[in-house]
């Protein structure tokens, strides 16, 4: 089957900074000018029957954590979006950790987290902003590049960025429109992770 969605590349492929599948899906919705739920409905209407039967669950809300975890839902979404875009998206998922991660509870952060400094660099390089897969590991509390604490809520309005409405690039709060690439208060050296 020919792809039905823009063939938007998975960012950071081949590096430790690879984009998470959840970020890819949310960014895909923004790039198509629709919400995530509408993107799921479009996929449901335009895919082969055998995939559509698996995808029936996606007509409901699927939170970021479910997309990141290694489970039937994430497997199904991976298959659907690979089919709809004509791309291999496995690098953005944790399928390679299936036998390890399914035995570990609480290892995956259930939402989006980000490093404002990474977002700021992506913007400065005029690159699309995205949520890195590594930021979803609960044990990773600080950016591995900048050593700054990851943020999980907009510092202006408290939004967690998991909304299905995508009105702006990922580096902008989807609720209040403030940049997520700037910290509200300036960091001091003692706040950096050694």
């Amino acid at each position: 089957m020919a792809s039905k969605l823009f063939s938007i590349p998975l960012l950071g492929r081949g590096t430790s900074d690879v984009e998470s599948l959840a970020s890819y899906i949310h960014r895909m919705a923004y790039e198509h000018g629709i919400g995530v739920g509408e993107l799921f409905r479009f996929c449901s209407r335009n895919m082969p029957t055998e995939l559509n039967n698996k995808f029936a669950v996606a007509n409901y809300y699927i939170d970021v954590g479910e997309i990141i975890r290694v489970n039937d839902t994430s497997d199904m979404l991976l298959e659907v979006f690979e089919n709809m875009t004509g791309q291999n998206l496995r690098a953005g998922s944790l399928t390679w950790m299936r036998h390890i991660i399914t035995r570990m509870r609480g290892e995956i952060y259930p939402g989006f987290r980000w490093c404002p400094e990474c977002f700021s660099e992506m913007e400065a390089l005029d690159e699309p902003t995205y949520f890195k897969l590594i930021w979803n590991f609960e044990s990773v509390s600080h950016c591995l590049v900048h050593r700054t604490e990851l943020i999980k809520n907009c510092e202006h309005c408290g939004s967690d960025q998991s909304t299905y409405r995508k009105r702006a690039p990922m580096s902008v709060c989807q609720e209040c429109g403030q940049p997520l690439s700037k910290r509200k208060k300036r960091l001091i050296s003692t706040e950096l992770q050694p």
Side-chain angles (χ1 to χ4, degrees):
M1 173 182 168
S3 61
K4 298 281 186 184
L5 295 171
F6 298 143
S7 189
I8 297 169
L10 182 71
L11 300 173
R13 183 190 305 275
T15 72
S16 61
D17 292 337
V18 67
E19 180 175 21
S20 74
L21 181 61
S23 172
Y24 181 80
I25 290 170
H26 282 246
R27 191 168 58 86
M28 173 80 65
Y30 171 71
E31 294 295 332
H32 282 82
I34 57 178
V36 176
E38 185 63 30
L39 180 63
F40 285 160
R41 285 187 290 281
F42 175 83
C43 288
S44 182
R45 288 190 308 265
N46 291 284
M47 70 179 65
T49 307
E50 65 277 4
L51 276 180
N52 201 339
N53 293 337
K54 290 182 185 179
F55 197 62
V57 67
N59 290 319
Y60 303 104
Y61 180 83
I62 303 173
D63 66 30
V64 172
E66 280 298 299
I67 299 171
I68 297 296
R69 278 187 208 84
V70 179
N71 56 31
D72 290 343
T73 302
S74 62
D75 289 347
M76 176 266 306
L77 289 173
L78 188 61
E79 188 176 356
V80 165
F81 281 93
E82 284 183 338
N83 183 276
M84 295 298 288
T85 64
Q87 295 186 77
N88 182 336
L89 303 173
R90 294 211 181 278
S93 72
L94 296 173
T95 56
W96 58 276
M97 292 186 74
R98 175 172 303 286
H99 299 295
I100 299 167
I101 208 107
T102 53
R103 287 181 260 154
M104 300 168 66
R105 288 211 166 281
E107 183 53 36
I108 303 301
Y109 182 76
F112 285 128
R113 295 190 301 175
W114 62 93
C115 168
E117 292 73 28
C118 283
F119 276 2
S120 181
E121 287 178 0
M122 290 173 198
E123 290 174 336
L125 294 169
D126 201 27
E127 295 176 354
T129 49
Y130 64 93
F131 297 98
K132 298 176 184 181
L133 180 61
I134 196 153
W135 293 342
N136 283 102
F137 285 98
E138 195 67 62
S139 59
V140 177
S141 60
H142 288 70
C143 175
L144 301 177
V145 176
H146 300 101
R147 302 183 347 229
T148 54
E149 188 172 5
L150 298 177
I151 295 178
K152 59 184 175 184
N153 296 95
C154 172
E155 294 183 314
H156 300 278
C157 72
S159 171
D160 66 5
Q161 304 311 299
S162 63
T163 179
Y164 267 26
R165 292 182 314 270
K166 295 297 169 199
R167 297 177 252 207
M170 301 302 241
S171 64
V172 175
C173 177
Q174 301 300 312
E175 294 297 326
C176 72
Q178 293 295 314
L180 301 175
S181 57
K182 305 209 181 341
R183 291 185 187 266
K184 204 168 183 179
K185 87 176 176 113
R186 191 176 182 95
L187 292 173
I188 55 176
S189 60
T190 58
E191 293 176 296
L192 299 180
Q193 184 72 10

PDB file of all heavy atoms in Angstrom, residues 151-180:
ATOM      1  N   ILE A 151      12.168  19.073  32.367  1.00  0.00           N
ATOM      2  CA  ILE A 151      10.920  19.712  32.798  1.00  0.00           C
ATOM      3  C   ILE A 151       9.754  18.875  32.296  1.00  0.00           C
ATOM      4  O   ILE A 151       9.795  18.344  31.179  1.00  0.00           O
ATOM      5  CB  ILE A 151      10.846  21.153  32.254  1.00  0.00           C
ATOM      6  CG1 ILE A 151      11.962  21.988  32.880  1.00  0.00           C
ATOM      7  CG2 ILE A 151       9.482  21.763  32.516  1.00  0.00           C
ATOM      8  CD1 ILE A 151      12.013  23.405  32.375  1.00  0.00           C
ATOM      9  N   LYS A 152       8.696  18.759  33.103  1.00  0.00           N
ATOM     10  CA  LYS A 152       7.536  17.963  32.689  1.00  0.00           C
ATOM     11  C   LYS A 152       6.260  18.781  32.563  1.00  0.00           C
ATOM     12  O   LYS A 152       5.258  18.270  32.085  1.00  0.00           O
ATOM     13  CB  LYS A 152       7.332  16.792  33.647  1.00  0.00           C
ATOM     14  CG  LYS A 152       7.121  17.185  35.077  1.00  0.00           C
ATOM     15  CD  LYS A 152       7.034  15.967  35.959  1.00  0.00           C
ATOM     16  CE  LYS A 152       6.934  16.373  37.416  1.00  0.00           C
ATOM     17  NZ  LYS A 152       6.931  15.246  38.298  1.00  0.00           N
ATOM     18  N   ASN A 153       6.280  20.035  33.004  1.00  0.00           N
ATOM     19  CA  ASN A 153       5.119  20.911  32.880  1.00  0.00           C
ATOM     20  C   ASN A 153       5.581  22.298  32.470  1.00  0.00           C
ATOM     21  O   ASN A 153       6.648  22.749  32.900  1.00  0.00           O
ATOM     22  CB  ASN A 153       4.356  21.027  34.205  1.00  0.00           C
ATOM     23  CG  ASN A 153       3.776  19.706  34.649  1.00  0.00           C
ATOM     24  OD1 ASN A 153       4.376  18.985  35.429  1.00  0.00           O
ATOM     25  ND2 ASN A 153       2.614  19.381  34.132  1.00  0.00           N
ATOM     26  N   CYS A 154       4.772  22.965  31.667  1.00  0.00           N
ATOM     27  CA  CYS A 154       5.068  24.337  31.278  1.00  0.00           C
ATOM     28  C   CYS A 154       5.246  25.169  32.548  1.00  0.00           C
ATOM     29  O   CYS A 154       4.419  25.111  33.460  1.00  0.00           O
ATOM     30  CB  CYS A 154       3.924  24.900  30.437  1.00  0.00           C
ATOM     31  SG  CYS A 154       4.069  26.666  30.076  1.00  0.00           S
ATOM     32  N   GLU A 155       6.312  25.931  32.606  1.00  0.00           N
ATOM     33  CA  GLU A 155       6.580  26.748  33.799  1.00  0.00           C
ATOM     34  C   GLU A 155       5.661  27.965  33.890  1.00  0.00           C
ATOM     35  O   GLU A 155       5.633  28.640  34.899  1.00  0.00           O
ATOM     36  CB  GLU A 155       8.042  27.180  33.817  1.00  0.00           C
ATOM     37  CG  GLU A 155       8.997  26.023  33.997  1.00  0.00           C
ATOM     38  CD  GLU A 155      10.446  26.449  34.090  1.00  0.00           C
ATOM     39  OE1 GLU A 155      10.882  27.281  33.267  1.00  0.00           O
ATOM     40  OE2 GLU A 155      11.135  25.941  34.984  1.00  0.00           O
ATOM     41  N   HIS A 156       4.875  28.220  32.851  1.00  0.00           N
ATOM     42  CA  HIS A 156       3.959  29.369  32.861  1.00  0.00           C
ATOM     43  C   HIS A 156       2.538  28.967  33.254  1.00  0.00           C
ATOM     44  O   HIS A 156       1.905  29.634  34.053  1.00  0.00           O
ATOM     45  CB  HIS A 156       3.961  30.059  31.493  1.00  0.00           C
ATOM     46  CG  HIS A 156       5.311  30.571  31.106  1.00  0.00           C
ATOM     47  ND1 HIS A 156       5.807  31.773  31.563  1.00  0.00           N
ATOM     48  CD2 HIS A 156       6.281  30.024  30.349  1.00  0.00           C
ATOM     49  CE1 HIS A 156       7.023  31.951  31.085  1.00  0.00           C
ATOM     50  NE2 HIS A 156       7.332  30.900  30.344  1.00  0.00           N
ATOM     51  N   CYS A 157       2.050  27.853  32.675  1.00  0.00           N
ATOM     52  CA  CYS A 157       0.645  27.476  32.925  1.00  0.00           C
ATOM     53  C   CYS A 157       0.482  26.093  33.557  1.00  0.00           C
ATOM     54  O   CYS A 157      -0.614  25.718  33.949  1.00  0.00           O
ATOM     55  CB  CYS A 157      -0.166  27.553  31.630  1.00  0.00           C
ATOM     56  SG  CYS A 157       0.210  26.231  30.456  1.00  0.00           S
ATOM     57  N   GLY A 158       1.551  25.314  33.631  1.00  0.00           N
ATOM     58  CA  GLY A 158       1.477  23.989  34.249  1.00  0.00           C
ATOM     59  C   GLY A 158       1.037  22.868  33.324  1.00  0.00           C
ATOM     60  O   GLY A 158       0.925  21.723  33.753  1.00  0.00           O
ATOM     61  N   SER A 159       0.810  23.139  32.049  1.00  0.00           N
ATOM     62  CA  SER A 159       0.360  22.115  31.102  1.00  0.00           C
ATOM     63  C   SER A 159       1.462  21.075  30.878  1.00  0.00           C
ATOM     64  O   SER A 159       2.635  21.412  30.785  1.00  0.00           O
ATOM     65  CB  SER A 159      -0.016  22.756  29.773  1.00  0.00           C
ATOM     66  OG  SER A 159      -0.250  21.777  28.794  1.00  0.00           O
ATOM     67  N   ASP A 160       1.033  19.798  30.731  1.00  0.00           N
ATOM     68  CA  ASP A 160       2.009  18.715  30.547  1.00  0.00           C
ATOM     69  C   ASP A 160       2.319  18.409  29.075  1.00  0.00           C
ATOM     70  O   ASP A 160       3.067  17.488  28.781  1.00  0.00           O
ATOM     71  CB  ASP A 160       1.545  17.453  31.260  1.00  0.00           C
ATOM     72  CG  ASP A 160       0.281  16.853  30.660  1.00  0.00           C
ATOM     73  OD1 ASP A 160      -0.212  17.340  29.618  1.00  0.00           O
ATOM     74  OD2 ASP A 160      -0.213  15.877  31.242  1.00  0.00           O
ATOM     75  N   GLN A 161       1.771  19.109  28.148  1.00  0.00           N
ATOM     76  CA  GLN A 161       2.022  19.006  26.704  1.00  0.00           C
ATOM     77  C   GLN A 161       1.495  17.741  26.044  1.00  0.00           C
ATOM     78  O   GLN A 161       1.823  17.454  24.907  1.00  0.00           O
ATOM     79  CB  GLN A 161       3.521  19.159  26.393  1.00  0.00           C
ATOM     80  CG  GLN A 161       4.123  20.445  26.909  1.00  0.00           C
ATOM     81  CD  GLN A 161       3.320  21.677  26.558  1.00  0.00           C
ATOM     82  OE1 GLN A 161       3.135  21.973  25.388  1.00  0.00           O
ATOM     83  NE2 GLN A 161       2.827  22.399  27.554  1.00  0.00           N
ATOM     84  N   SER A 162       0.679  16.974  26.758  1.00  0.00           N
ATOM     85  CA  SER A 162       0.149  15.743  26.167  1.00  0.00           C
ATOM     86  C   SER A 162      -1.190  15.945  25.466  1.00  0.00           C
ATOM     87  O   SER A 162      -1.771  14.997  24.962  1.00  0.00           O
ATOM     88  CB  SER A 162       0.016  14.661  27.240  1.00  0.00           C
ATOM     89  OG  SER A 162      -0.915  15.067  28.218  1.00  0.00           O
ATOM     90  N   THR A 163      -1.651  17.175  25.400  1.00  0.00           N
ATOM     91  CA  THR A 163      -2.925  17.452  24.735  1.00  0.00           C
ATOM     92  C   THR A 163      -2.912  16.960  23.289  1.00  0.00           C
ATOM     93  O   THR A 163      -1.869  16.974  22.635  1.00  0.00           O
ATOM     94  CB  THR A 163      -3.252  18.954  24.773  1.00  0.00           C
ATOM     95  OG1 THR A 163      -4.500  19.172  24.094  1.00  0.00           O
ATOM     96  CG2 THR A 163      -2.187  19.799  24.096  1.00  0.00           C
ATOM     97  N   TYR A 164      -4.041  16.524  22.829  1.00  0.00           N
ATOM     98  CA  TYR A 164      -4.167  16.081  21.439  1.00  0.00           C
ATOM     99  C   TYR A 164      -4.230  17.259  20.471  1.00  0.00           C
ATOM    100  O   TYR A 164      -3.999  17.101  19.289  1.00  0.00           O
ATOM    101  CB  TYR A 164      -5.423  15.226  21.285  1.00  0.00           C
ATOM    102  CG  TYR A 164      -5.183  13.743  21.458  1.00  0.00           C
ATOM    103  CD1 TYR A 164      -4.133  13.239  22.211  1.00  0.00           C
ATOM    104  CD2 TYR A 164      -6.035  12.831  20.855  1.00  0.00           C
ATOM    105  CE1 TYR A 164      -3.942  11.880  22.352  1.00  0.00           C
ATOM    106  CE2 TYR A 164      -5.849  11.466  20.999  1.00  0.00           C
ATOM    107  CZ  TYR A 164      -4.793  10.994  21.741  1.00  0.00           C
ATOM    108  OH  TYR A 164      -4.597   9.650  21.872  1.00  0.00           O
ATOM    109  N   ARG A 165      -4.573  18.448  20.968  1.00  0.00           N
ATOM    110  CA  ARG A 165      -4.607  19.635  20.107  1.00  0.00           C
ATOM    111  C   ARG A 165      -3.174  20.108  19.881  1.00  0.00           C
ATOM    112  O   ARG A 165      -2.454  20.402  20.830  1.00  0.00           O
ATOM    113  CB  ARG A 165      -5.407  20.754  20.761  1.00  0.00           C
ATOM    114  CG  ARG A 165      -6.872  20.473  20.879  1.00  0.00           C
ATOM    115  CD  ARG A 165      -7.610  21.662  21.490  1.00  0.00           C
ATOM    116  NE  ARG A 165      -6.954  22.200  22.658  1.00  0.00           N
ATOM    117  CZ  ARG A 165      -7.178  21.806  23.918  1.00  0.00           C
ATOM    118  NH1 ARG A 165      -8.059  20.883  24.167  1.00  0.00           N
ATOM    119  NH2 ARG A 165      -6.533  22.345  24.912  1.00  0.00           N
ATOM    120  N   LYS A 166      -2.767  20.191  18.658  1.00  0.00           N
ATOM    121  CA  LYS A 166      -1.410  20.633  18.327  1.00  0.00           C
ATOM    122  C   LYS A 166      -1.510  21.920  17.513  1.00  0.00           C
ATOM    123  O   LYS A 166      -1.787  21.897  16.334  1.00  0.00           O
ATOM    124  CB  LYS A 166      -0.641  19.551  17.552  1.00  0.00           C
ATOM    125  CG  LYS A 166      -0.412  18.308  18.378  1.00  0.00           C
ATOM    126  CD  LYS A 166       0.453  18.618  19.592  1.00  0.00           C
ATOM    127  CE  LYS A 166       0.490  17.497  20.576  1.00  0.00           C
ATOM    128  NZ  LYS A 166       0.908  17.883  21.903  1.00  0.00           N
ATOM    129  N   ARG A 167      -1.306  23.042  18.201  1.00  0.00           N
ATOM    130  CA  ARG A 167      -1.457  24.349  17.568  1.00  0.00           C
ATOM    131  C   ARG A 167      -0.141  25.016  17.229  1.00  0.00           C
ATOM    132  O   ARG A 167      -0.115  26.039  16.577  1.00  0.00           O
ATOM    133  CB  ARG A 167      -2.224  25.273  18.510  1.00  0.00           C
ATOM    134  CG  ARG A 167      -3.622  24.813  18.806  1.00  0.00           C
ATOM    135  CD  ARG A 167      -4.227  25.747  19.790  1.00  0.00           C
ATOM    136  NE  ARG A 167      -4.304  25.027  21.041  1.00  0.00           N
ATOM    137  CZ  ARG A 167      -5.175  25.261  21.982  1.00  0.00           C
ATOM    138  NH1 ARG A 167      -6.012  26.232  21.866  1.00  0.00           N
ATOM    139  NH2 ARG A 167      -5.200  24.543  23.063  1.00  0.00           N
ATOM    140  N   ALA A 168       0.949  24.461  17.748  1.00  0.00           N
ATOM    141  CA  ALA A 168       2.257  25.100  17.598  1.00  0.00           C
ATOM    142  C   ALA A 168       3.336  24.025  17.555  1.00  0.00           C
ATOM    143  O   ALA A 168       3.083  22.875  17.904  1.00  0.00           O
ATOM    144  CB  ALA A 168       2.477  26.040  18.781  1.00  0.00           C
ATOM    145  N   PRO A 169       4.549  24.408  17.145  1.00  0.00           N
ATOM    146  CA  PRO A 169       5.658  23.439  17.194  1.00  0.00           C
ATOM    147  C   PRO A 169       5.844  22.902  18.617  1.00  0.00           C
ATOM    148  O   PRO A 169       5.376  23.498  19.587  1.00  0.00           O
ATOM    149  CB  PRO A 169       6.867  24.275  16.759  1.00  0.00           C
ATOM    150  CG  PRO A 169       6.297  25.436  16.013  1.00  0.00           C
ATOM    151  CD  PRO A 169       4.958  25.702  16.634  1.00  0.00           C
ATOM    152  N   MET A 170       6.546  21.791  18.729  1.00  0.00           N
ATOM    153  CA  MET A 170       6.694  21.131  20.025  1.00  0.00           C
ATOM    154  C   MET A 170       7.390  21.994  21.071  1.00  0.00           C
ATOM    155  O   MET A 170       7.233  21.751  22.256  1.00  0.00           O
ATOM    156  CB  MET A 170       7.475  19.828  19.854  1.00  0.00           C
ATOM    157  CG  MET A 170       6.807  18.872  18.895  1.00  0.00           C
ATOM    158  SD  MET A 170       5.168  18.462  19.407  1.00  0.00           S
ATOM    159  CE  MET A 170       5.341  16.735  19.617  1.00  0.00           C
ATOM    160  N   SER A 171       8.158  22.989  20.671  1.00  0.00           N
ATOM    161  CA  SER A 171       8.889  23.823  21.633  1.00  0.00           C
ATOM    162  C   SER A 171       8.045  24.959  22.202  1.00  0.00           C
ATOM    163  O   SER A 171       8.547  25.786  22.962  1.00  0.00           O
ATOM    164  CB  SER A 171      10.138  24.414  20.984  1.00  0.00           C
ATOM    165  OG  SER A 171       9.758  25.276  19.924  1.00  0.00           O
ATOM    166  N   VAL A 172       6.763  24.972  21.852  1.00  0.00           N
ATOM    167  CA  VAL A 172       5.843  25.996  22.350  1.00  0.00           C
ATOM    168  C   VAL A 172       4.744  25.303  23.132  1.00  0.00           C
ATOM    169  O   VAL A 172       4.229  24.271  22.715  1.00  0.00           O
ATOM    170  CB  VAL A 172       5.243  26.803  21.173  1.00  0.00           C
ATOM    171  CG1 VAL A 172       4.194  27.793  21.656  1.00  0.00           C
ATOM    172  CG2 VAL A 172       6.339  27.504  20.395  1.00  0.00           C
ATOM    173  N   CYS A 173       4.389  25.862  24.300  1.00  0.00           N
ATOM    174  CA  CYS A 173       3.317  25.274  25.105  1.00  0.00           C
ATOM    175  C   CYS A 173       2.028  25.256  24.295  1.00  0.00           C
ATOM    176  O   CYS A 173       1.617  26.280  23.744  1.00  0.00           O
ATOM    177  CB  CYS A 173       3.130  26.057  26.404  1.00  0.00           C
ATOM    178  SG  CYS A 173       1.752  25.425  27.404  1.00  0.00           S
ATOM    179  N   GLN A 174       1.405  24.095  24.233  1.00  0.00           N
ATOM    180  CA  GLN A 174       0.179  23.930  23.449  1.00  0.00           C
ATOM    181  C   GLN A 174      -1.017  24.604  24.116  1.00  0.00           C
ATOM    182  O   GLN A 174      -2.039  24.805  23.470  1.00  0.00           O
ATOM    183  CB  GLN A 174      -0.096  22.444  23.213  1.00  0.00           C
ATOM    184  CG  GLN A 174       1.022  21.716  22.484  1.00  0.00           C
ATOM    185  CD  GLN A 174       1.313  22.282  21.109  1.00  0.00           C
ATOM    186  OE1 GLN A 174       0.412  22.514  20.307  1.00  0.00           O
ATOM    187  NE2 GLN A 174       2.582  22.511  20.820  1.00  0.00           N
ATOM    188  N   GLU A 175      -0.900  24.956  25.383  1.00  0.00           N
ATOM    189  CA  GLU A 175      -2.005  25.608  26.105  1.00  0.00           C
ATOM    190  C   GLU A 175      -1.870  27.129  26.128  1.00  0.00           C
ATOM    191  O   GLU A 175      -2.792  27.840  25.783  1.00  0.00           O
ATOM    192  CB  GLU A 175      -2.100  25.067  27.538  1.00  0.00           C
ATOM    193  CG  GLU A 175      -2.501  23.610  27.620  1.00  0.00           C
ATOM    194  CD  GLU A 175      -3.885  23.305  27.063  1.00  0.00           C
ATOM    195  OE1 GLU A 175      -4.803  24.147  27.188  1.00  0.00           O
ATOM    196  OE2 GLU A 175      -4.050  22.227  26.487  1.00  0.00           O
ATOM    197  N   CYS A 176      -0.693  27.636  26.563  1.00  0.00           N
ATOM    198  CA  CYS A 176      -0.559  29.090  26.762  1.00  0.00           C
ATOM    199  C   CYS A 176       0.278  29.782  25.693  1.00  0.00           C
ATOM    200  O   CYS A 176       0.323  31.010  25.639  1.00  0.00           O
ATOM    201  CB  CYS A 176       0.001  29.392  28.152  1.00  0.00           C
ATOM    202  SG  CYS A 176       1.750  28.977  28.373  1.00  0.00           S
ATOM    203  N   GLY A 177       0.962  29.015  24.850  1.00  0.00           N
ATOM    204  CA  GLY A 177       1.742  29.602  23.765  1.00  0.00           C
ATOM    205  C   GLY A 177       3.120  30.116  24.167  1.00  0.00           C
ATOM    206  O   GLY A 177       3.830  30.683  23.337  1.00  0.00           O
ATOM    207  N   GLN A 178       3.506  29.937  25.409  1.00  0.00           N
ATOM    208  CA  GLN A 178       4.832  30.379  25.856  1.00  0.00           C
ATOM    209  C   GLN A 178       5.898  29.390  25.383  1.00  0.00           C
ATOM    210  O   GLN A 178       5.638  28.198  25.249  1.00  0.00           O
ATOM    211  CB  GLN A 178       4.872  30.490  27.384  1.00  0.00           C
ATOM    212  CG  GLN A 178       3.998  31.597  27.949  1.00  0.00           C
ATOM    213  CD  GLN A 178       4.481  32.973  27.516  1.00  0.00           C
ATOM    214  OE1 GLN A 178       5.665  33.269  27.564  1.00  0.00           O
ATOM    215  NE2 GLN A 178       3.548  33.799  27.076  1.00  0.00           N
ATOM    216  N   PRO A 179       7.122  29.868  25.167  1.00  0.00           N
ATOM    217  CA  PRO A 179       8.179  28.958  24.711  1.00  0.00           C
ATOM    218  C   PRO A 179       8.605  27.980  25.803  1.00  0.00           C
ATOM    219  O   PRO A 179       8.788  28.371  26.955  1.00  0.00           O
ATOM    220  CB  PRO A 179       9.327  29.903  24.343  1.00  0.00           C
ATOM    221  CG  PRO A 179       9.070  31.156  25.088  1.00  0.00           C
ATOM    222  CD  PRO A 179       7.578  31.255  25.278  1.00  0.00           C
ATOM    223  N   LEU A 180       8.749  26.713  25.428  1.00  0.00           N
ATOM    224  CA  LEU A 180       9.267  25.693  26.348  1.00  0.00           C
ATOM    225  C   LEU A 180      10.786  25.649  26.277  1.00  0.00           C
ATOM    226  O   LEU A 180      11.422  24.911  27.015  1.00  0.00           O
ATOM    227  CB  LEU A 180       8.696  24.320  25.986  1.00  0.00           C
ATOM    228  CG  LEU A 180       7.176  24.188  26.009  1.00  0.00           C
ATOM    229  CD1 LEU A 180       6.749  22.812  25.514  1.00  0.00           C
ATOM    230  CD2 LEU A 180       6.640  24.451  27.404  1.00  0.00           C
TER     231      LEU A 180
END
